[in-house]
């Protein structure tokens, strides 16, 4: 279905204003998006490309609105952007095919899931120092320096965090001091 040129011609007669651009956008956005969607096969990409084409039209609306057929200009920009996107996707696919397959990643250990759930219950500061000290092996003094607090404060947060983890996880999970 080919739209009649009526709206574009009427817009040229009163070109240059935001209201005219808004009307132009409302009249043509859906149609151009549908065309680009048919070309790209991805609605989100089609919407992104069409929106970018309309942004470029808005930036040059004084000139674009004076064209004999401003819709053709927006459509051409959208098609060019879509073609560039397809080329990037093709290149990325070629690169990916040359990569070795990813190694097998083991599933989450149930103990790990329990630990993460218990850590989420801790206040943010306690969780942060527990993770930094016991998982990332960062010394207490370095944590204190990085967070800008005294080492005694970090030690207190560690103590409280360990106590809370011991309550939540039970004796088999006791974290060494």
């Amino acid at each position: 279905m080919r739209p009649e040129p009526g709206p574009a011609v009427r817009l040229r007669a009163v070109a240059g204003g935001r209201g005219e651009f808004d009307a132009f956008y409302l009249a043509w956005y859906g149609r151009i998006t549908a065309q680009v969607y048919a070309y790209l096969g991805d609605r989100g990409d089609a919407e992104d490309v069409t929106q970018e084409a309309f942004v470029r039209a808005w930036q040059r609306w004084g000139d674009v609105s004076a064209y004999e057929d401003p819709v053709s200009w927006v459509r051409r920009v959208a098609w060019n952007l879509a073609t560039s996107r397809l080329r990037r996707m093709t290149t990325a696919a070629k690169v990916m095919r040359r990569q070795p397959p990813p190694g097998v990643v083991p599933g989450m250990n149930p103990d790990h899931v329990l630990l993460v759930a218990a850590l989420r219950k801790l206040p943010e500061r306690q969780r942060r120092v527990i993770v930094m000290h016991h998982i990332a092996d960062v010394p207490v003094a370095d944590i204190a320096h990085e967070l800008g607090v005294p080492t005694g404060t970090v030690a207190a947060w560690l103590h409280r965090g360990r106590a809370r983890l011991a309550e939540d996880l039970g004796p088999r999970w006791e974290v060494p001091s």
Side-chain angles (χ1 to χ4, degrees), residues 29-103:
Y29 175 79
R31 295 173 187 170
I32 294 174
T33 301
Q35 294 166 25
V36 175
Y37 173 47
Y39 179 56
L40 289 176
D42 183 284
R43 184 181 176 107
D45 285 346
E47 289 173 348
D48 289 347
V49 163
T50 305
Q51 288 170 9
E52 177 62 26
F54 274 98
V55 165
R56 292 180 185 189
W58 170 246
Q59 291 169 337
R60 299 166 183 79
W61 187 240
D63 295 331
V64 172
S65 64
Y67 293 160
E68 184 177 328
D69 188 4
V71 174
S72 292
W73 187 91
V74 173
R75 185 182 297 111
R76 170 55 46 205
V77 171
W79 279 94
N80 289 347
L81 291 167
T83 300
S84 294
R85 186 167 291 209
L86 282 177
R87 286 183 185 136
R88 282 192 308 274
M89 290 170 31
T90 301
T91 301
K94 287 177 185 175
V95 169
M96 291 301 294
R97 281 194 299 269
R98 285 188 239 137
Q99 301 300 316

Side-chain angles (χ1 to χ4, degrees), residues 152-165:
T153 302
V154 172
W157 290 343
L158 280 169
H159 176 76
R160 290 184 200 125
R162 286 187 204 116
R164 177 84 184 268
L165 286 175

Side-chain angles (χ1 to χ4, degrees), residues 117-145:
L119 283 168
R120 284 186 184 150
K121 293 178 184 178
L122 294 177
E124 189 274 331
R125 291 184 221 162
Q126 292 175 16
R127 180 174 56 244
R128 177 183 263 183
V129 297
I130 291 281
V131 168
M132 290 176 77
H133 185 68
H134 291 290
I135 295 176
D137 293 324
V138 178
V140 171
D142 292 351
I143 295 171
H145 178 72

